[in-house]
Amino acid sequence: MIPQVRLPGHSDGWTSADRAVVAVNIGDACRRQGYFFVHDHGVPPELICDAYSEARRFYRLTLEEKSKYDTAEDSQFLGYRALGRERSRVHRGTESCEQYRIGNTTDELAVPEADFYHAQFPQSLELFHHLTRLSDGLLAACALDLGLDENTFADHPGTPLHRLGLNRYAASHPSTSGPKNASAMSPHVDLSLLTILDQDEPGLDVRAADGTWLAVPAVPGALFVFIGDYLQRWSNGLHRAAPHRVNKVRNDRMSIQYKHRPAYGVVIAPLDDLTTTSNPTRYPPLDTGPGYMTVLKSILNK
């Protein structure tokens, strides 16, 4: 059963007391399973609808038109990932998904023309900002659940490299060279602090702590949240990262996926306050700058 959490409205208005209440409500879910639905989150539903409309409009373009926005290291990986562009992390094939990314950029890399990649997605960009504020509140609550200051995970210099993904899975999209029964998106854990997802059709599965796969329903008005690798590392495993996958689709399906990430080059390692003799350091340090870019380059076909 997937935990259900009701929030005190839009995170812009949360007080520290509100965050403490949210921490109590999500703490058990973060520790035991690493995923939950949030209700009463205050994100305008019309923005979610508008983001889907913008994505559908873009995906109706010809491949030649879409390819003008191809993602690359020079774009800090904003832009379009065509079908077959992303390699699977569990087999030799590719993922059965078209993707588009918008979000923040950093001056520590070559500065792309971000406006070029965002121009067709003004409502999606507004949704991105709402989801950023919601994630800030959820992350503060996660810190409080761990007995830390609410700003622990956010108090780092630089611009966080948050991303909003507009993903399209079509029934006609096979894995270009993967196993016949491969998932549309292979099982993996996100390289993020946390991820917020909305889907217009069911298809997402999440793996519970006991190893069973659970189908995540499309719940009107609710957003699905799951913990990523970075928060699991920082919390020394006290908050569980949730493996997930997308099944082969029979109907066209779209999802909106927001990933909350730290600034470029933040090194993540278990916090001293969360390591003890009974719970020693479980993860080596991880550089979210060049190391993260290396992972992206390794999974993206040229």
Side-chain angles (χ1 to χ4, degrees):
M1 185 174 180
I2 298 174
Q4 310 285 322
V5 175
R6 295 203 171 271
L7 301 179
H10 201 291
S11 56
D12 278 354
W14 289 6
T15 64
S16 290
D18 289 329
R19 289 191 178 93
V21 171
V22 175
V24 171
N25 291 337
I26 71 173
D28 186 64
C30 290
R31 290 169 181 268
R32 289 179 178 271
Q33 299 293 0
Y35 52 80
F36 50 93
F37 274 111
V38 290
H39 303 261
D40 301 335
H41 43 71
V43 177
E46 61 270 19
L47 272 182
I48 297 174
C49 291
D50 289 345
Y52 278 122
S53 295
E54 289 179 341
R56 292 187 183 100
R57 186 162 55 246
F58 176 82
Y59 285 123
R60 283 197 295 267
L61 298 175
T62 66
L63 179 60
E64 181 180 6
E65 291 172 311
K66 290 183 288 189
S67 295
K68 295 175 183 177
Y69 303 90
D70 272 355
T71 190
E73 187 175 4
D74 288 346
S75 75
Q76 296 187 28
F77 299 103
L78 297 181
Y80 176 59
R81 302 180 188 182
L83 179 65
R85 180 72 189 276
E86 184 171 328
R87 297 185 182 95
S88 169
R89 284 175 260 183
V90 299
H91 59 72
R92 294 185 179 181
T94 59
E95 306 293 13
S96 306
C97 181
E98 289 184 276
Q99 305 173 54
Y100 198 97
R101 295 288 185 270
I102 64 174
N104 296 340
T105 59
T106 175
D107 290 340
E108 295 190 42
L109 301 174
V111 180
E113 297 178 0
D115 290 346
F116 172 77
Y117 294 96
H118 294 158
Q120 298 196 56
F121 303 96
Q123 296 301 98
S124 300
L125 192 59
E126 181 64 22
L127 175 62
F128 168 84
H129 295 312
H130 278 272
L131 293 175
T132 296
R133 293 192 289 272
L134 172 59
S135 296
D136 285 339
L138 293 173
L139 199 59
C142 288
L144 292 173
D145 173 68
L146 294 165
L148 305 170
D149 181 272
E150 63 184 44
N151 295 314
T152 298
F153 299 124
D155 193 16
H156 300 278
T159 301
L161 289 182
H162 309 320
R163 288 288 185 268
L164 184 76
L166 304 168
N167 300 336
R168 177 175 181 256
Y169 300 84
S172 59
H173 282 182
S175 175
T176 56
S177 57
K180 186 174 182 180
N181 295 318
S183 301
M185 181 65 72
S186 304
H188 65 284
V189 171
D190 280 355
L191 294 177
S192 67
L193 291 161
L194 57 83
T195 297
I196 299 177
L197 183 134
D198 186 88
Q199 53 183 346
D200 68 351
E201 290 280 343
L204 179 70
D205 285 350
V206 65
R207 194 168 70 198
D210 65 3
T212 59
W213 286 98
L214 301 175
V216 178
V219 178
L223 295 169
F224 186 66
V225 180
F226 45 94
I227 301 303
D229 177 78
Y230 295 166
L231 186 53
Q232 178 174 257
R233 287 174 181 269
W234 249 334
S235 70
N236 200 31
L238 294 175
H239 283 181
R240 175 182 180 263
H244 52 284
R245 68 187 181 191
V246 176
N247 290 314
K248 293 180 68 175
V249 296
R250 296 182 179 179
N251 302 310
D252 287 358
R253 173 184 179 272
M254 295 193 69
S255 67
I256 298 172
Q257 180 194 65
Y258 169 86
K259 294 183 180 181
H260 202 67
R261 304 190 67 254
Y264 181 84
V266 171
V267 176
I268 295 179
L271 297 173
D272 290 342
D273 289 347
L274 302 179
T275 58
T276 63
T277 54
S278 60
N279 187 33
T281 299
R282 298 172 58 187
Y283 307 95
L286 178 68
D287 186 340
T288 66
Y292 173 71
M293 292 299 176
T294 297
V295 171
L296 282 183
K297 286 188 286 186
S298 74
I299 65 173
L300 291 176
N301 289 308
K302 293 294 186 183

